[in-house]
Amino acid sequence: MKVVTPQEMAQMDQKTIASGISGIDLMEKAGTECTRVIESTLKEGMLICVICGPGNNGGDGQVIARQLSEKGFSVQVFFTEPADKMSPESQTNYSRLRESSVAVQFLSHEAGLEGFEASLAGADLVVDAVFGTGLKDRPLGEWYETLLNAVNACGKRIAAIDIPSGLRGDNGLTLEAAVEADQTIIIQNYKVGCLLNDGPDCVGEPVLVDIGIDENCVENNKYFVQKQDLRCPVKRKKNSHKYDYGSVVIIAGSKGMIGAGLLATEGALKSGAGLVTSYVPLEVYLPVAARSPVEVMIKTYDCNITGEDIEHDRKRVVLIGPGIGRKKNYSIILNDLLYNTTVPVVIDADGLFHLSRNLDVLKESKTPVILTPHFGEFSTLTGVDREEILKDPIGHGRCFAEEYQVVLVLKGYRTMIFSPEGEVFFNSTSNPGMATAGSGDVLAGMIAGFAGQSVDLLEAAKAGVFYHGAAGDYYAEHYGESTLTARNIIDSFKYVLK
Ligand SMILES: NC(=O)C1=CN([C@@H]2O[C@H](COP(=O)(O)OP(=O)(O)OC[C@H]3O[C@@H](n4cnc5c(N)ncnc54)[C@H](OP(=O)(O)O)[C@@H]3O)[C@@H](O)[C@H]2O)[C@@H](O)CC1
Ligand SMILES: Nc1ncnc2c1ncn2[C@@H]1O[C@H](COP(=O)(O)OP(=O)(O)O)[C@@H](O)[C@H]1O
Ligand SMILES: [K+]
């Protein structure tokens, strides 16, 4: 399934209309599908308030109002602008609405919101059809700011149509105010803004409806990753050996931070790696050995370790970074791994810090690389302010992955995976309980574990991120989010990675 920008969605709408279906019929279809979802949440006799803006989003709202009324519900529509400001399709629907039994009121800037707030308070459901994908990045103005804040304050269940009003569809940032919906009925495809920044909090529960638009009619390489899209875990052959499932080297941990290495090691082991070897500094050998899973080999190293030391013995992938600290100089080993070996490398956490000092080594690298930064680490890597990145995460991520020819895993609620060819994959799992220390170490280990199993690095990254989130979701579904720890993610793998 593809993820689209508002511009791409508008082009898809236009192409569909050009292919023979009229704009008004497409709107009727959108409204019908939304009505079906809304109706399933209603009980007989309920009162629904629909707030319609002047554009086609408001047109969808009018179709919903008319159809709900035909089904016997009491419906009240509030228009935010006079009829002459409506888009052509909205005007057509307004003519249809006047022939129905729906109560209609035009809110006026002069009269303010008197009566509106009381009506919302008396409703059982509020439908937000003020702005959709046509929202522009300009100040909302006092009128809309007050109106959207009043919607949020009403305390009633809110269903937003296509995208919560005030939320930017291109980046998930809000204008001065934005509707915080309980449910958003998304027409045809996820908009980028539903998945990033404030988007998921404004969207509430997302429900997608199909109105028959072909997502491939416009060129677009942004995807929403679901289980059926993954190539991991690999099917195990009966005639196979542990080395067929990857020998993973993990360079991680330092004094005071051995936990990071232990979590990464278990992440790799439990994602099906055939063999895991943990390289740790001499001074932490004893505590690491005492706490490591018995299946893991432990070796010590200093910072002059070479790729050759690691490359021997059929090693398939190296993970470097979790908990290595920033004091020692890791540039020798990083350069050596990238220049002198062809073993794929996953670089995480403090490894990214050391890499940021000489990023250009990536351009000379002989071997495939995955980087797994969160937004702060990505800011350090690129030298671009975090706030700037948040305004255009896709542009920055895509540009970086293409320039340095790496697989980039940009971590957050809906982690994005960028391929060196410019594709973007949005993950569909995880929950805020996973914002907990060590969660990223587990992920890095999982990605390395999958990368060892003869899949390409992009597939390993997609699977690692997906199953990491799925394990967190499994725990949260059973026990809630607040007690979730990195260890619980590892313990839940067995239920999701079958
Ligand atoms: N046929 C189709 O295409 C289909 C489309 N569909 C539906 O249409 C939706 C897109 O509709 P849309 O393009 O008409 O835009 P929409 O979101 O209603 O808003 C435009 C209005 O908002 C205003 N406005 C903008 N920014 C503003 C700001 N910052 N502050 C204040 N005002 C602002 C803007 O004003 P203007 O810029 O014109 O002055 C204009 O009046 C889409 O989400 C889906 O629900 C479906 O029915 C399927 C078929
Ligand atoms: N709000 C959130 N919702 C869902 N997942 C999150 C959230 N915050 C962080 N995560 C996930 O948790 C992990 C945290 O990684 P990271 O920030 O490197 O943590 P650490 O260094 O403590 O291990 C990432 O996989 C990220 O996607
Ligand atoms: K809306």
Side-chain angles (χ1 to χ4, degrees):
M1 192 202 306
K2 292 200 173 172
V3 177
V4 300
T5 61
Q7 290 74 18
E8 285 161 349
M9 194 67 228
Q11 287 168 17
M12 285 157 66
D13 286 341
Q14 281 157 19
K15 287 220 170 180
T16 310
I17 290 166
S19 76
I21 176 166
S22 69
I24 194 73
D25 285 349
L26 203 56
M27 186 174 277
E28 191 69 21
K29 176 79 174 149
T32 303
E33 292 306 320
C34 292
T35 303
R36 207 191 306 275
V37 175
I38 291 172
E39 192 190 358
S40 70
T41 67
L42 297 179
K43 291 198 188 97
E44 215 181 305
M46 280 188 162
L47 173 65
I48 298 103
C49 274
V50 184
I51 313 158
C52 296
N56 286 343
N57 194 249
D60 290 350
Q62 293 189 66
V63 176
I64 293 164
R66 172 168 39 83
Q67 293 195 2
L68 285 175
S69 163
E70 284 164 5
K71 288 172 189 290
F73 295 100
S74 307
V75 186
Q76 158 106 58
V77 167
F78 288 96
F79 286 105
T80 65
E81 301 286 346
D84 60 359
K85 288 211 173 168
M86 285 179 196
S87 68
E89 282 93 348
S90 276
Q91 290 197 349
T92 305
N93 266 306
Y94 180 50
S95 313
R96 293 177 181 176
L97 196 68
R98 278 191 300 183
E99 286 164 18
S100 74
S101 56
V102 172
V104 166
Q105 188 180 333
F106 283 86
L107 296 168
S108 85
H109 296 221
E110 293 74 37
L113 296 177
E114 219 183 292
F116 174 65
E117 283 150 318
S119 295
L120 295 187
D124 296 295
L125 175 76
V126 174
V127 175
D128 157 35
V130 180
F131 302 123
T133 50
L135 184 78
K136 300 196 180 80
D137 181 21
R138 65 167 198 252
L140 278 177
E142 201 183 326
W143 167 247
Y144 279 111
E145 200 179 325
T146 315
L147 188 128
L148 299 185
N149 284 333
V151 172
N152 283 336
C154 76
K156 295 300 161 125
R157 187 174 154 76
I158 303 171
I161 303 308
D162 205 17
I163 185 164
S165 299
L167 181 72
R168 283 177 57 179
D170 59 343
N171 63 9
L173 293 172
T174 57
L175 298 185
E176 293 80 2
V179 166
E180 290 158 20
D182 296 285
Q183 182 183 60
T184 297
I185 306 168
I186 299 171
I187 298 169
Q188 200 65 52
N189 287 82
Y190 272 108
K191 317 301 178 290
V192 166
C194 295
L195 302 171
L196 297 176
N197 288 307
D198 304 314
D201 285 313
C202 290
V203 161
E205 179 210 359
V207 179
L208 284 154
V209 291
D210 185 346
I211 63 164
I213 294 177
D214 174 13
E215 64 176 10
N216 296 314
C217 69
V218 165
E219 208 174 303
N220 165 25
N221 58 5
K222 297 183 291 300
Y223 304 88
F224 191 65
V225 178
Q226 291 162 295
K227 192 168 180 175
Q228 65 267 26
D229 305 319
L230 301 173
R231 293 207 207 128
C232 289
V234 290
K235 189 172 179 333
R236 295 196 169 221
K237 278 190 167 179
K238 294 185 180 70
N239 182 17
S240 62
H241 188 271
K242 68 183 174 213
Y243 286 112
D244 294 325
Y245 305 106
S247 171
V248 179
V249 166
I250 296 182
I251 303 172
S254 60
K255 206 168 170 190
M257 291 196 283
I258 63 165
L262 290 168
L263 289 167
T265 302
E266 281 200 64
L269 201 59
K270 289 275 173 96
S271 51
L275 181 68
V276 180
T277 309
S278 179
Y279 277 68
V280 299
L282 181 61
E283 69 265 27
V284 299
Y285 176 82
L286 284 178
V288 169
R291 305 195 62 176
S292 277
V294 289
E295 299 87 348
V296 173
M297 282 174 49
I298 306 165
K299 296 191 174 180
T300 59
Y301 73 95
D302 63 30
C303 278
N304 296 321
I305 189 173
T306 66
E308 210 176 301
D309 295 332
I310 288 167
E311 202 170 25
H312 79 285
D313 206 19
R314 292 182 275 182
K315 299 292 186 269
R316 288 259 186 84
V317 58
V318 176
L319 162 63
I320 177 165
I324 58 176
R326 298 183 173 193
K327 289 193 191 125
K328 291 185 181 169
N329 179 5
Y330 273 83
S331 52
I332 298 171
I333 180 164
L334 267 176
N335 291 356
D336 194 60
L337 284 172
L338 297 176
Y339 287 143
N340 297 330
T341 79
T342 51
V343 180
V345 182
V346 182
I347 309 177
D348 181 46
D350 290 332
L352 296 167
F353 169 79
H354 294 288
L355 179 71
S356 70
R357 295 170 154 188
N358 183 16
L359 208 51
D360 282 340
V361 296
L362 288 175
K363 291 188 176 164
E364 309 295 327
S365 172
K366 283 208 204 104
T367 191
V369 174
I370 302 183
L371 307 182
T372 58
H374 53 58
F375 277 83
E377 288 162 341
F378 189 52
S379 167
T380 308
L381 271 180
T382 53
V384 179
D385 277 352
R386 194 171 171 276
E387 296 307 309
E388 280 306 305
I389 294 171
L390 293 179
K391 285 182 197 162
D392 181 17
I394 295 184
H396 286 283
R398 186 181 262 161
C399 187
F400 186 93
E402 283 182 328
E403 181 177 355
Y404 292 99
Q405 287 295 294
V406 294
V407 173
L408 175 71
V409 176
L410 193 49
K411 295 183 294 191
Y413 173 70
R414 288 290 174 250
T415 293
M416 285 175 282
I417 300 144
F418 297 90
S419 78
E421 286 75 38
E423 299 149 302
V424 189
F425 300 89
F426 288 82
N427 185 39
S428 58
T429 58
S430 94
N431 64 81
M434 301 179 75
T436 180
S439 167
D441 305 319
V442 176
L443 174 68
M446 286 189 81
I447 293 176
F450 283 128
Q453 296 174 56
S454 303
V455 292
D456 72 37
L457 291 197
L458 182 63
E459 292 303 323
K462 284 196 272 184
V465 171
F466 180 90
Y467 284 110
H468 177 256
D473 288 347
Y474 179 90
Y475 180 91
E477 269 160 32
H478 289 80
Y479 312 105
E481 293 173 1
S482 29
T483 59
L484 177 49
T485 63
R487 157 117 337 260
N488 298 138
I489 301 174
I490 295 171
D491 291 342
S492 301
F493 285 170
K494 57 180 174 282
Y495 302 112
V496 296
L497 191 59
K498 290 183 190 164

